[in-house]
Amino acid sequence: MFSRRVPADLAPNRIAAALAAAAPPFDLTASNPTACGIPYPDGLLDALADRAGLAYRPDPRGLASARRAAAAEYRRWGVEVDPEHVVLTASTSEAYAFLFKLLAEPGAAVLVPSPSYPLFEHLARLEGVDAIPYHLNAELGWRPDLDALAAAPAAVRAVVVVHPNNPTGSFVHPGDAAELERLAAERGWAVIADEVFLDYPLAGGDGSGWSFAAAEEALTFALGGLSKSVGLPQLKLGWIVAGGPRPLVEAALARLEFIADTFLSVGTPVQLALPALLHDGAPVRAAILERCRENLAELQRAAAAVPEVSARLPGGGWSAALRVPAVVGEEELTLELLERDGVAVHPGYFFDFPGAGTLVLSLLPEPATFSEGVRRLLARLRTHLQR
Ligand SMILES: Cc1ncc(COP(=O)(O)O)c(C=O)c1O
């Protein structure tokens, strides 16, 4: 009776079920910025009460004032974005859904990075599209294997890059980006660049500080949104910036407008408030960045005391991956931490980290919670190492 776009088995996996039952005091999977003690300025949401929001005059691409505000964000990366090339969506997830509808027939495919954010598989499947993983090489700082990408099947319509990637924290190397753009242009693929974490450089490096919105060679869609850029996921506003060869950009925008017009999903008050939210939300972004840097420094300090453990230094984002000795399976260790130590972490296999022995920690929790969670995690590992 039901379509195969929705998984037949909707039961939570063992770890999700244990996490829901345990309500652990040291939840290092917490990735909701509104629940981690990040300070939000008073009056931040006042602009939502603008009386202009009482009138409904929808523009399928989004109100011009909101598109101008989203476009202006790219000045931080030295890119002058034309507001006419911006389309608003209710979230980045919705942006993916719109782009998969735009680019891929049912049964076609998109290339997605691995390890990465596990929602891609569902987002693609809900559009009737296959998500084909391409591997990021840990030994090379999570750079993609461009030769393997070049050998992708003919059904591929787009390549997704996450810049910086969640949860490896790796920015796309500018040289790889140029090569990807060249390959995409040659193959007739679009590039979908998820830049929701671009505002959060942790270790920096030469890969940070630039945006795919400047792309010229291939049809490219850079994605961003309020959920990460000012820590307001509940407001439901994201954006797509289209770039690349002008005729392709114009053809894509006309079709994206058709898709957006079919749903008109972004509320008027949040669009009217966007300029103020982006301006007044800057301290939230700064507080989140400071929180992530502080927790990362603590993780590195604590991990340095256990030679068998190493904290990979993420280039950017809100999480960190910890390499742990494979003396115990990731799932067993995760469940043990949850049930015996009150500590929640994600096992690396959730994100398709290769091999065994990766744990993923959110850098958002309150520092006291984070450091005690890390202390307990390392103590638990020590007991395994001593066996
Ligand atoms: C890489 C990445 N893209 C997109 C999203 C979702 O963003 P939104 O709330 O705008 O749908 C997330 C959420 O964690 C993410 O990690």
Side-chain angles (χ1 to χ4, degrees):
M1 160 156 245
F2 301 109
S3 98
R4 284 197 300 271
R5 292 173 185 224
V6 181
D9 181 5
L10 294 170
N13 61 46
R14 256 181 97 192
I15 293 175
L19 184 58
F26 306 98
D27 185 357
L28 309 189
T29 67
S31 58
N32 174 357
T34 69
C36 291
I38 297 289
Y40 287 80
D42 286 340
L44 180 60
L45 299 187
D46 286 0
L48 289 170
D50 186 339
R51 282 190 63 81
L54 287 169
Y56 186 43
R57 287 189 213 92
D59 178 333
R61 293 189 193 187
L63 298 181
S65 55
R67 285 187 283 111
R68 273 197 300 277
E73 288 294 282
Y74 289 83
R75 294 203 183 118
R76 285 211 299 278
W77 316 114
V79 189
E80 209 45 57
V81 167
D82 181 347
E84 292 304 309
H85 293 181
V86 176
V87 177
L88 302 187
T89 61
S91 63
T92 318
S93 303
E94 188 182 64
Y96 278 112
F98 282 12
L99 291 169
F100 293 166
K101 287 184 217 302
L102 171 75
L103 298 164
E105 304 293 348
V110 293
L111 294 166
V112 299
S114 171
S116 193
Y117 175 56
L119 209 63
F120 292 134
E121 198 187 314
H122 299 315
L123 289 167
R125 186 164 160 176
L126 287 171
E127 300 304 321
V129 172
D130 285 333
I132 302 179
Y134 64 90
H135 293 284
L136 304 179
N137 189 333
E139 309 312 319
L140 301 178
W142 303 112
R143 292 177 71 169
D145 179 347
L146 292 165
D147 291 337
L149 274 175
V156 168
R157 305 304 312 137
V159 55
V160 173
V161 292
V162 186
H163 176 63
N165 190 27
N166 173 19
T168 61
S170 46
F171 285 91
V172 179
H173 187 280
D176 292 342
E179 196 51 34
L180 262 176
E181 289 280 330
R182 197 198 52 72
L183 186 63
E186 183 185 294
R187 296 295 171 88
W189 302 341
V191 175
I192 300 174
D194 180 334
E195 298 183 335
V196 296
F197 290 111
L198 194 56
D199 291 305
Y200 299 96
L202 297 173
D206 66 351
S208 68
W210 63 276
S211 164
F212 275 86
E216 289 176 351
E217 203 167 346
L219 179 62
T220 300
F221 302 97
L223 312 185
L226 284 185
S227 95
K228 307 292 187 286
S229 86
V230 287
L232 292 169
Q234 72 278 36
L235 295 194
K236 306 308 298 176
L237 191 147
W239 54 81
I240 301 170
V241 174
R246 192 159 269 272
L248 274 179
V249 169
E250 272 159 21
L253 284 168
R255 287 164 176 78
L256 269 179
E257 177 167 337
F258 174 86
I259 296 168
D261 199 17
T262 309
F263 295 92
L264 293 174
S265 52
V266 194
T268 302
V270 71
Q271 294 188 55
L272 287 169
L274 188 62
L277 290 166
L278 289 171
H279 180 267
D280 301 346
V284 181
R285 175 162 58 238
I288 295 176
L289 182 59
E290 193 186 314
R291 170 69 59 82
C292 290
R293 287 182 170 166
E294 181 180 346
N295 282 339
L296 180 61
E298 169 61 16
L299 178 65
Q300 289 183 298
R301 193 198 55 73
V306 188
E308 294 84 352
V309 169
S310 63
R312 290 189 195 270
L313 189 59
W318 292 1
S319 45
L322 199 63
R323 291 286 301 154
V324 298
V327 284
V328 48
E330 282 176 6
E331 179 164 279
E332 192 188 334
L333 178 59
T334 304
L335 287 169
E336 197 180 3
L337 283 166
L338 204 51
E339 286 157 4
R340 299 186 59 184
D341 303 305
V343 176
V345 294
H346 278 311
Y349 76 81
F350 263 27
F351 306 91
D352 288 328
F353 274 89
T358 299
L359 298 178
V360 174
L361 280 60
S362 166
L363 297 172
L364 284 188
E366 300 260 16
T369 305
F370 186 84
S371 61
E372 177 60 14
V374 168
R375 194 192 64 72
R376 290 176 178 222
L377 159 59
L378 295 175
R380 174 63 53 198
L381 276 171
R382 276 201 196 91
T383 64
H384 280 287
L385 286 165
Q386 281 156 10
R387 271 183 200 158

